[in-house]
Amino acid sequence: MGSRSLDSGKATVSGREYSKCVILPANENMVPEALEKRKQNWTVRTRVANDLIIQVGDSSFQLHKLAMVSKSEYLNRLVFQKRSNGAKDTLPKIQIESFPGGSEIFELVVKFCYGMKVDLTASNIAPVHCAAHFLEMSDDLEQGNLISKTEAFLSFVLFSAWKDIFRVLKSCEPISLWAMKLQILQRCSDAIAWKASIDPKLFTLSENDAISLNVLANDAENLKHKGIAENWWFEDVSCLRIDHFVEVIKSIKKKGVLRSKLVGSCVAYWTEKWISGPENLPKHLTHHLLRVTTESLIRILPEEENSISANFLLHLLKLGIMMRISCELLNEVGKKIALKLENCRVSDLLVKNYDNDATVYDVGTVTRVVEAYVSSMLKNPTPKLLVVGQLVDGYLALVSRDDKLSVEQFRPLAEALPNDARYCHDTLYTAIDTYLKAHPRLTEEERTSLCTAMDYHKLSQEGLKHATRNGRLPVNITARLILLEQVNMARSMTSTGSNYQRTKTQAIIKVNKCLGNEWMTSWNEIKMMRKEVDSMKMQLNELQICKMQIQRRAKRCLILKRIFGSMSIL
């Protein structure tokens, strides 16, 4: 109990604290007397003189041909070539470039070739397995060679302890190309995908005991998650670097056991841990790597509806814009968010900026999404357009308090939706009024430009009443609102049953209606109304003339002030 034989006594697997394999010598013909290391030089001492030098990186190994070539087809070829091309009295030297795992792993290979005890763990099994394949140490040369032994132990590790799988993946980081070629990454990803869908209690037992694969698989089929959070595996998976994380998510999606919403939450969890904000980015993440990371995250997003939150997608879109990823991927994310707008709340649209000179929230990204929504809506009209209109107006009302929000940022979002997106413009008016209150130094032109997004005909009676008395609105807009209020009052007064009397003209109309004078026809009523409207227009023109005169006087005063100021300096 606690260990199992891998090859008739030549290797054992122990499962105490973590998976471990001890390879024992198969014979004692080449057992060294000593293995000496001086700085970067290794020397194997036996009764026979060394006749081979192998250089791995900065380390040099003085070895014996018989011990090495008898187990490595790769070294066998190189030694044969050296003997054919070089002088027979010189000691052949072989330079190995890009050896998987470097000199540390080659040391383990040397120990194996000489029949010394080799300790394999979850942290070194992947590079040793890759090294065995690099050196072509197959059973064709000798039964029970290093490839078969590492393969047996690797399979055991992937089957056994959960944590050991991540140790294997961590050790694959320096040897990613080899690990991918030998499908170690794929096997680890599949193992994680399988175990993430079952009760962790079933496979944590494997740290102390080897459980039958068939029994565990059968138990997993009928497993019910009782008292165990479905996201128990998030933290371990989030420790993986992006390329390994992507492989794991692909395997999970391919397996299809976990809910897509859970997969989406895992992607969001990894992103939040590694990329919580530009000021918190890890220093080792270069711009290129961060761009590749962002693109990779977008590509593995679940396709299912409601599998990922709109707020996370907005953060991802913002990151993509910052990293200048491909337009195709940016549009893909934008469309995903646009499909969610009808079910969003204002809080879902809040994405913070991290530049001290920028606005608190990123309004530009939200504007981009709303424009994408409008574009898609033109092709497929939706009855929930009014819902999106309320959402945008609520968002504008919230961000309008930001004193760093410019008119050029506010106006495009306010005008992004079509006219029929708002039944009433009261909320939009509130947002504009809040903006004007937070930005008291706006010019008259800027105030007018801001108000063009509002249709004052769609203001409620209360909203119109407030707007006509609002001193923050530009003069020309206020005049129009007053005129509209006059017209509305006139209509109200002439309506059947109305007792409202505001002007002399309206009073005459009402009195005559009450007296039943038939000579007051509809045409005469309209004529009087037109006269009153003309009178209002004349008043508006007078206001405009007065405004222009005041502006001319102000300019003259400013010029005189500058002239006298310069004279005083002279």
Side-chain angles (χ1 to χ4, degrees):
M1 186 72 70
S3 65
R4 84 175 196 186
S5 175
L6 283 183
D7 188 11
S8 62
K10 295 181 180 178
T12 61
V13 174
S14 174
R16 294 179 181 177
E17 295 182 356
Y18 53 86
S19 300
K20 180 179 178 181
C21 175
V22 180
I23 301 179
L24 302 176
N27 58 68
E28 299 182 0
N29 295 333
M30 288 297 295
V31 176
E33 296 177 353
L35 179 61
E36 299 176 353
K37 180 182 179 182
R38 293 182 179 179
K39 295 183 179 179
Q40 298 297 323
N41 299 318
W42 289 85
T43 303
V44 178
R45 301 293 185 190
T46 66
R47 298 176 183 178
V48 182
N50 302 101
D51 56 2
L52 176 65
I53 298 177
I54 297 180
Q55 185 78 26
V56 179
D58 297 331
S59 299
S60 176
F61 293 82
Q62 296 187 31
L63 309 169
H64 299 82
K65 295 177 185 177
L66 179 61
M68 302 304 295
V69 302
S70 62
K71 290 183 174 60
S72 171
E73 183 66 30
Y74 175 80
L75 294 177
N76 195 354
R77 287 198 307 271
L78 293 183
V79 169
F80 179 78
Q81 292 173 4
K82 288 287 184 179
R83 189 167 63 177
S84 300
N85 301 331
K88 293 183 179 181
D89 56 346
T90 59
L91 196 64
K93 184 175 182 179
I94 296 175
Q95 181 79 28
I96 300 180
E97 301 290 345
S98 304
F99 185 77
S103 59
E104 181 180 351
I105 298 302
F106 189 75
E107 176 192 349
L108 299 178
V109 174
V110 169
K111 289 182 177 180
F112 174 81
C113 291
Y114 278 89
M116 301 173 67
K117 186 177 78 170
V118 178
D119 290 336
L120 295 181
T121 66
S123 298
N124 65 20
I125 183 59
V128 172
H129 187 62
C130 293
H133 278 273
F134 182 95
L135 296 172
E136 301 172 25
M137 303 175 70
S138 67
D139 284 3
D140 294 340
L141 292 179
E142 181 178 295
Q143 191 67 27
N145 210 343
L146 191 56
I147 289 179
S148 61
K149 290 189 179 297
T150 53
E151 172 61 33
F153 182 62
L154 179 60
S155 299
F156 174 79
V157 169
L158 297 181
F159 159 69
S160 58
W162 167 262
K163 291 288 186 181
D164 280 349
I165 303 176
F166 294 91
R167 294 187 179 101
V168 172
L169 281 174
K170 185 66 178 178
S171 68
C172 288
E173 291 182 0
I175 54 169
S176 285
L177 293 178
W178 273 97
M180 189 172 296
K181 179 181 178 181
L182 298 176
Q183 295 189 333
I184 298 177
L185 293 181
Q186 184 63 53
R187 293 168 67 182
C188 288
S189 300
D190 290 344
I192 292 174
W194 171 59
K195 293 186 176 185
S197 62
I198 66 175
D199 190 337
K201 293 179 181 179
L202 289 178
F203 54 80
T204 52
L205 293 175
S206 62
E207 295 186 1
N208 299 314
D209 197 5
I211 304 176
S212 168
L213 179 60
N214 293 330
V215 173
L216 186 56
N218 291 334
D219 288 342
E221 292 295 329
N222 301 318
L223 178 67
K224 301 294 182 181
H225 294 282
K226 295 181 179 179
I228 300 173
E230 287 183 298
N231 63 352
W232 63 265
W233 48 279
F234 279 18
E235 183 59 33
D236 290 320
V237 172
S238 67
C239 294
L240 300 174
R241 74 181 195 184
I242 183 62
D243 53 340
H244 296 173
F245 177 73
V246 167
E247 291 299 322
V248 169
I249 295 299
K250 285 181 178 179
S251 294
I252 291 175
K253 291 170 68 176
K254 184 178 180 181
K255 184 176 176 63
V257 176
L258 296 175
R259 294 181 298 107
S260 59
K261 189 172 184 179
L262 193 63
V263 177
S265 298
C266 182
V267 176
Y269 189 92
W270 187 97
T271 307
E272 184 178 358
K273 182 171 183 177
W274 285 80
I275 314 172
S276 58
E279 81 285 0
N280 295 324
L281 290 177
K283 295 182 179 180
H284 70 276
L285 284 181
T286 62
H287 184 277
H288 174 72
L289 181 56
L290 190 54
R291 178 179 178 178
V292 172
T293 299
T294 306
E295 291 178 341
S296 299
L297 291 171
I298 293 174
R299 289 191 178 99
I300 62 174
L301 291 175
E303 296 294 333
E304 292 77 6
E305 189 177 357
N306 298 324
S307 58
I308 200 121
S309 69
N311 188 259
F312 169 70
L313 289 174
L314 273 170
H315 279 87
L316 204 57
L317 179 60
K318 176 180 174 62
L319 185 62
I321 294 172
M322 291 173 56
M323 295 298 110
R324 298 180 181 179
I325 65 174
S326 67
C327 293
E328 181 182 355
L329 289 176
L330 284 178
N331 293 334
E332 180 182 336
V333 180
K335 290 178 181 177
K336 285 180 180 291
I337 307 171
L339 293 174
K340 294 177 173 293
L341 277 184
E342 296 174 355
N343 298 311
C344 280
R345 298 171 298 178
V346 172
S347 58
D348 295 327
L349 303 183
L350 300 181
V351 178
K352 282 193 174 183
N353 278 318
Y354 299 97
D355 187 351
N356 293 330
D357 297 328
T359 56
V360 176
Y361 297 108
D362 187 352
V363 179
T365 301
V366 176
T367 303
R368 181 187 184 116
V369 171
V370 174
E371 290 173 347
Y373 172 81
V374 173
S375 178
S376 64
M377 184 209 65
L378 295 176
K379 300 177 182 178
N380 302 300
T382 171
K384 293 187 177 181
L385 181 59
L386 292 174
V387 176
V388 177
Q390 292 176 355
L391 174 69
V392 172
D393 290 348
Y395 177 80
L396 284 170
L398 190 148
V399 300
S400 59
R401 302 183 182 93
D402 192 339
D403 58 356
K404 293 180 180 179
L405 182 66
S406 66
V407 175
E408 290 74 18
Q409 292 172 308
F410 184 98
R411 185 178 172 184
L413 180 55
E415 297 178 346
L417 293 172
N419 292 331
D420 54 350
R422 299 179 177 96
Y423 178 77
C424 178
H425 278 218
D426 280 13
T427 308
L428 179 60
Y429 165 67
T430 301
I432 293 174
D433 185 39
T434 304
Y435 184 88
L436 293 174
K437 191 182 298 182
H439 303 78
R441 297 182 181 179
L442 292 179
T443 64
E444 191 75 6
E445 290 75 16
E446 287 175 327
R447 293 171 184 269
T448 303
S449 173
L450 190 70
C451 292
T452 55
M454 177 182 62
D455 184 355
Y456 43 83
H457 289 89
K458 289 188 176 182
L459 289 174
S460 66
Q461 187 175 354
E462 294 77 11
L464 182 59
K465 184 177 180 180
H466 184 278
T468 55
R469 293 158 177 75
N470 191 343
R472 289 181 288 273
L473 295 178
V475 175
N476 59 340
I477 299 296
T478 303
R480 293 177 185 176
L481 291 170
I482 293 174
L483 178 60
L484 178 62
E485 187 181 34
Q486 295 285 335
V487 172
N488 289 341
M489 287 182 178
R491 289 175 179 172
S492 175
M493 196 279 303
T494 57
S495 64
T496 304
S498 175
N499 294 316
Y500 184 75
Q501 300 178 16
R502 186 180 55 84
T503 64
K504 183 178 180 180
T505 302
Q506 292 170 340
I508 293 173
I509 294 172
K510 185 65 181 177
V511 169
N512 281 286
K513 278 188 175 182
C514 293
L515 296 175
N517 294 331
E518 296 180 356
W519 61 268
M520 181 64 72
T521 64
S522 299
W523 173 251
N524 290 333
E525 293 177 8
I526 294 173
K527 198 172 181 180
M528 287 188 173
M529 290 293 298
R530 284 182 176 176
K531 287 182 180 180
E532 192 162 301
V533 170
D534 291 339
S535 175
M536 291 296 299
K537 286 183 178 179
M538 291 177 62
Q539 293 178 19
L540 178 61
N541 290 333
E542 290 174 0
L543 285 173
Q544 291 285 4
I545 294 171
C546 182
K547 173 188 171 184
M548 293 173 63
Q549 290 175 349
I550 293 172
Q551 287 178 341
R552 290 195 199 100
R553 291 175 183 174
K555 288 181 180 179
R556 289 174 185 173
C557 292
L558 183 61
I559 294 171
L560 291 173
K561 183 178 180 180
R562 290 177 179 175
I563 293 173
F564 287 120
S566 60
M567 291 177 62
S568 62
I569 293 173
L570 294 174

